[in-house]
């Protein structure tokens, strides 16, 4: 699991709202739509929630400690959805207490293993892994023109870690036929047992127009391996596409570091 660095997200506060607009323009889904899809609620209900709920982001020092600008970045994303958001001055348990005292109902907290949004009143929780997988799967379906159903659509999922497994399962649930590219051979048995195809090598990728990339190795995916009409939803960090592939596939891929997953988490917590 990749840990974000402060350099990667340093400009999130300026960019979170603009990325929301860009997603809406490019794929017809913005943060609110993605949260709505994740929660099974309507856009209107999430918008209503944004007027009602107060959100607190609590910096957590355990393990490797706080990531500078992580909490502010989360706050900026949720704020771009119209919620009233604070970052607590205190960290950890003291920060949770501060969030209660200040009347926040939805609390965002992350340590080295898990990142969640929890609704302290209803008990609802949005887990970042599940939310990210849902968000990117929906984005891929939207880019592929398959939002109304993906029956029989051939999709390649790259990487069979936590997010890759969740995306594969989500897309299968929508009717897609999933094949996995995963360089760790020890995962082959689990892939086959789950009923997915297994690609022996990345040259097979060329056969797939629809790609979800959940690998965590940057700059390995060259344009020559990709279908000319490929669309790519890529939650994997660092981003896989080489500079040349980014140029060739400009406008045909969606990748971010924190925004889509965080937006969907709200859906799980309202
Ligand atoms: O509060 C802080 O600043 C830190 N405790 C944030 C830690 C963020 N955690 C991670 O980036 C981990 N890799 C966990 C992410 C889990 C979801 N994919």
């Amino acid at each position: 699991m990749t840990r974000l660095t402060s350099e990667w997200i340093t400009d999130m506060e300026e960019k979170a709202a603009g990325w929301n607009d860009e997603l809406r323009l490019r794929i017809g889904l913005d943060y609110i739509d993605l949260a709505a899809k994740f929660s099974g609620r309507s856009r209107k209900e999430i918008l209503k929630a944004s007027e009602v709920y107060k959100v607190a982001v609590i910096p957590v020092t355990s393990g490797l400690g706080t990531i500078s600008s992580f909490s502010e970045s989360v706050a900026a994303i949720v704020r771009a959805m119209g919620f009233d958001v604070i970052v607590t001055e205190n960290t950890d348990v003291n920060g949770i207490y501060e969030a209660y005292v200040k009347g926040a109902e939805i609390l965002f907290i992350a340590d080295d293993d898990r990142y969640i949004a929890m609704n302290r009143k209803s008990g609802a929780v949005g887990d970042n892994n599940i939310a990210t997988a849902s968000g990117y799967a929906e984005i891929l379906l939207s880019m592929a023109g398959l939002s109304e159903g993906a029956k029989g659509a051939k999709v390649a999922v790259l990487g069979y870690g936590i997010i890759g497994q969740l995306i594969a399962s989500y897309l299968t649930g929508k009717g897609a036929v999933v094949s996995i590219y995963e360089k760790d051979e020890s995962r082959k048995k689990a892939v086959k047992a789950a009923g997915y195809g297994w690609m022996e090598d990345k040259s097979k990728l060329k056969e797939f127009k629809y790609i979800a990339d959940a690998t965590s190795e940057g700059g390995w995916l060259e344009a020559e391996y990709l279908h000319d009409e490929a669309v790519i939803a890529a939650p994997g960090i660092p981003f896989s596409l080489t500079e040349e592939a980014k140029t060739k596939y400009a406008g045909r891929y969606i990748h971010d570091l924190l925004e889509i997953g965080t937006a969907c988490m709200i859906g799980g917590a309202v």
Side-chain angles (χ1 to χ4, degrees):
M1 194 181 293
T2 308
R3 181 176 160 90
L4 294 172
T5 69
S6 50
E7 297 82 61
W8 291 347
I9 55 172
T10 186
D11 54 1
M12 189 74 73
E13 285 183 85
E14 297 91 70
K15 294 204 168 150
W19 181 232
N20 188 34
D21 294 339
E22 195 175 328
L23 286 172
R24 190 185 307 120
L25 277 174
R26 282 180 50 194
I27 54 164
L29 298 170
D30 63 10
Y31 295 163
I32 294 281
D33 295 313
L34 291 166
K37 281 188 181 285
F38 181 55
S39 65
R41 291 167 202 247
S42 66
R43 177 179 173 86
K44 204 170 158 191
E45 282 174 292
I46 304 296
L47 282 171
K48 183 80 202 151
S50 75
E51 290 166 17
V52 176
Y53 285 110
K54 183 161 179 177
V55 176
V57 185
I58 298 129
V60 173
T61 64
S62 75
L64 295 171
T66 57
I67 299 170
S68 162
S69 74
F70 177 81
S71 295
E72 287 72 18
S73 298
V74 172
I77 297 159
V78 179
R79 202 169 284 127
M81 300 173 79
F83 286 81
D84 179 9
V85 193
I86 57 162
V87 174
T88 58
E89 285 160 32
N90 296 291
T91 65
D92 307 296
V93 177
N94 205 12
I96 294 174
Y97 180 71
E98 181 186 332
Y100 271 66
V101 169
K102 291 185 171 165
E105 293 98 357
I106 297 177
L107 278 46
F108 276 76
I109 42 175
D111 66 10
D112 298 339
D113 299 314
R114 202 163 287 277
Y115 168 32
I116 61 168
M118 55 190 236
N119 183 321
R120 67 179 177 86
K121 287 190 171 160
S122 71
V125 68
D127 167 71
N128 179 255
N129 292 331
I130 303 172
T132 300
S134 152
Y136 276 91
E138 286 293 346
I139 284 169
L140 182 64
L141 293 174
S142 182
M143 286 197 292
L146 298 170
S147 296
E148 300 309 317
K151 203 165 175 4
K154 279 176 59 185
V155 179
V157 174
L158 319 188
Y160 200 61
I162 296 167
I163 301 285
Q165 290 172 37
L166 288 165
I167 292 186
S169 162
Y170 192 99
L171 292 171
T172 303
K174 297 283 180 183
V177 180
V178 170
S179 293
I180 307 289
Y181 171 69
E182 164 60 67
K183 65 178 193 179
D184 180 355
E185 284 273 334
S186 71
R187 290 178 168 163
K188 185 171 179 174
K189 218 170 143 185
V191 166
K192 297 240 173 182
Y196 305 128
W198 173 267
M199 278 178 251
E200 285 302 338
D201 63 82
K202 59 186 171 187
S203 65
K204 291 271 178 284
L205 270 177
K206 244 193 152 40
E207 295 167 19
F208 293 85
K209 277 204 267 184
Y210 312 133
I211 296 178
D213 171 30
T215 59
S216 53
E217 199 182 300
W220 65 272
L221 190 48
E222 291 164 39
E224 65 179 281
Y225 294 113
L226 293 166
H227 192 293
D228 280 341
E229 292 165 32
V231 287
I232 306 151
I237 301 171
F239 188 34
S240 299
L241 261 60
T242 60
E243 290 307 317
E244 186 208 354
K246 279 191 216 171
T247 305
K248 177 168 177 192
Y249 289 90
R252 304 183 66 84
Y253 65 82
I254 296 285
H255 167 75
D256 74 17
L257 297 169
L258 192 61
E259 299 93 318
I260 289 164
T262 298
C264 289
M265 288 162 70
I266 274 280
V270 293

